[in-house]
Amino acid sequence: MSLLLSIGGWDIDAWDRRFKSFAPGIRIQHAGASDLDLSAVDYGVAWQSEPGLFARCPNLKAVFSLGAGVDHLMRDPDLPDVPVLRIVDPNLTMRMTEWVTLQVLLHHRQQSLLDQAQRAADWRDLPQWSADEVRVGILGLGNLGRDSADVLARLGFQVAGWSRSKKQIPGLDSFAGADELDAFLARTDILVCLLPLTPETVGILNYDLFSKLARTGPLGAPVIINAGRGGQQVEADILRALDDGTLHAASLDVFNQEPLASDSPFWAHPKVYLTPHLAAESHPDHMCRNILDQIAAYERGEPFKNRVDMTTGY
Ligand code: NDP
Ligand code: OXD
């Protein structure tokens, strides 16, 4: 059994060590090594990998994305016709739900005003409202969106979701497709984006969409929270909407360019809550086990789980 690790932007050695400790008999090769034996590769393991690499592996059985998102693989024009698998793992889901819940609560409880008041030794009596007065809308009701929706609904928020297909989820209003997007936006005070990046979702978070969000919530203007992908947001439109009051605030974990340039106006913007693409880290302890379990099941003759639909791109 041989894996080819093609990992950009992360510490490849951490993945190498974990795969070797969980499956000592496995052969691990690293993309970029001078003595690569591509004909021996059974499975590719990728994050921001080198385009064209997997096309040169004649015996490849599948490619695993190291994250939930597979846009990095879809960008490879020479991706071979083998199953592409994405990560669905309770550890990653839990991390995303923590991040989304944190961001929603930071806005809901006006934490940045309280931080300012604390620094000014100001015992400020801010108006308070409860979660059931706030409407959260989640773009994307997949593995991540559904879990966040569930936790936020249990906190008392009025939660709705938007996806391609209609869902039957107790306690959640489901909107589907382009025809129902405007109605979903019109009832949303805090918009969370957990969509995959596909040709259909590029630039979806734009000024036109922001202007359709509800303006009757307790915060006075809507909030956006994006942990999907930077390519879904038109960054000039976010700045314009924050500056002219169309948006109250934005929490952003993902950006068009990552790492974010040091001169980006987002860093110092008073209405921006920024995190450096860490909403839900892919941790080697959990992801390596997940991938090795999938491989073992496949080698026993079971079908792969979480296979990407190459027609929709997610
Ligand atoms: P899933 O594939 O499980 O869910 C995707 C959801 O988006 C589905 O509900 C799907 O609808 C919906 N969707 C896709 N395209 C459209 C569209 N054109 N219109 C309406 N709805 C659409 O993905 P996950 O929940 O696992 O992950 C979502 C994304 O989160 C990843 O692709 C990645 O970009 C991002 N992510 C970010 C991380 C971070 O740290 N910032 C970490 C992990 C993931 P339907 O249900 O009908 O198919
Ligand atoms: C992912 C990510 O897609 O970390 O898992 O962005």
Side-chain angles (χ1 to χ4, degrees):
M1 171 77 58
S2 165
L3 303 189
L4 173 59
L5 307 191
S6 179
I7 302 176
W10 293 348
D11 173 15
I12 193 166
D13 293 332
W15 293 89
D16 180 276
R17 280 196 300 277
R18 218 63 102 257
F19 275 119
K20 284 181 178 150
S21 73
F22 292 156
I26 220 158
R27 177 176 178 197
I28 308 272
Q29 303 192 69
H30 291 200
S34 54
D35 55 349
L36 270 184
D37 176 6
L38 293 177
S39 62
V41 174
D42 296 300
Y43 298 98
V45 175
W47 184 253
Q48 313 294 2
S49 71
E50 179 193 318
L53 175 68
F54 296 119
R56 297 182 1 245
C57 302
N59 299 309
L60 192 70
K61 298 179 187 170
V63 179
F64 290 88
S65 167
L66 279 181
V70 291
D71 45 296
H72 61 106
L73 283 166
M74 297 297 123
R75 279 196 292 272
D76 182 346
D78 300 315
L79 196 61
D81 185 18
V82 296
V84 174
L85 295 320
R86 52 190 218 87
I87 289 287
V88 175
D89 187 275
N91 184 269
L92 189 140
T93 303
M94 176 194 307
R95 291 167 190 256
M96 181 59 84
T97 300
E98 286 171 14
W99 186 88
V100 169
T101 307
L102 170 68
Q103 300 305 320
V104 169
L105 289 175
L106 285 174
H107 297 292
H108 167 57
R109 300 303 299 246
Q110 305 174 88
Q111 190 58 42
S112 69
L113 291 181
L114 293 167
D115 288 346
Q116 286 166 25
Q118 178 181 344
R119 284 192 290 274
D122 174 5
W123 187 264
R124 200 180 299 173
D125 192 14
L126 286 175
Q128 297 291 305
W129 49 84
S130 54
D132 60 1
E133 294 171 73
V134 178
R135 295 161 296 178
V136 178
I138 303 188
L139 291 168
L141 281 179
N143 291 291
L144 302 180
R146 288 166 86 120
D147 197 65
S148 289
D150 181 45
V151 168
L152 291 169
R154 279 191 277 138
L155 287 175
F157 292 99
Q158 300 174 47
V159 185
W162 182 74
S163 44
R164 283 195 334 134
S165 54
K166 203 88 167 171
K167 311 288 178 209
Q168 302 291 338
I169 304 174
L172 180 135
D173 284 335
S174 162
F175 295 78
D179 292 348
E180 296 185 10
L181 180 58
D182 285 4
F184 163 80
L185 297 171
R187 55 72 63 210
T188 294
D189 302 312
I190 298 182
L191 180 74
V192 177
C193 180
L194 287 172
L195 287 167
L197 183 63
T198 68
E200 290 182 15
T201 65
V202 171
I204 190 170
L205 300 175
N206 57 47
Y207 195 85
D208 180 51
L209 178 142
F210 305 149
S211 359
K212 293 176 179 167
L213 289 162
R215 304 190 63 77
T216 50
L219 284 162
V223 168
I224 61 158
I225 296 176
N226 188 15
R229 281 289 182 267
Q232 288 153 352
Q233 66 199 19
V234 181
E235 297 187 342
D237 285 10
I238 295 178
L239 292 166
R240 177 180 159 211
L242 289 171
D243 292 342
D244 72 9
T246 299
L247 289 178
H248 175 77
S251 289
L252 305 173
D253 183 59
V254 287
F255 298 89
N256 279 278
Q257 181 197 321
E258 295 180 6
L260 187 63
S262 58
D263 61 353
S264 165
F266 284 130
W267 288 111
H269 199 292
K271 296 182 180 175
V272 171
Y273 296 59
L274 185 161
T275 53
H277 198 149
L278 49 59
E281 184 195 5
S282 290
H283 196 284
D285 279 351
H286 300 274
M287 303 308 128
C288 293
R289 279 204 191 284
N290 183 312
I291 290 169
L292 291 169
D293 287 350
Q294 276 254 55
I295 291 175
Y298 182 72
E299 297 281 334
R300 285 195 302 269
E302 296 169 27
F304 282 124
K305 294 184 195 144
N306 312 315
R307 191 167 168 178
V308 173
D309 176 342
M310 302 307 277
T311 58
T312 58
Y314 70 94

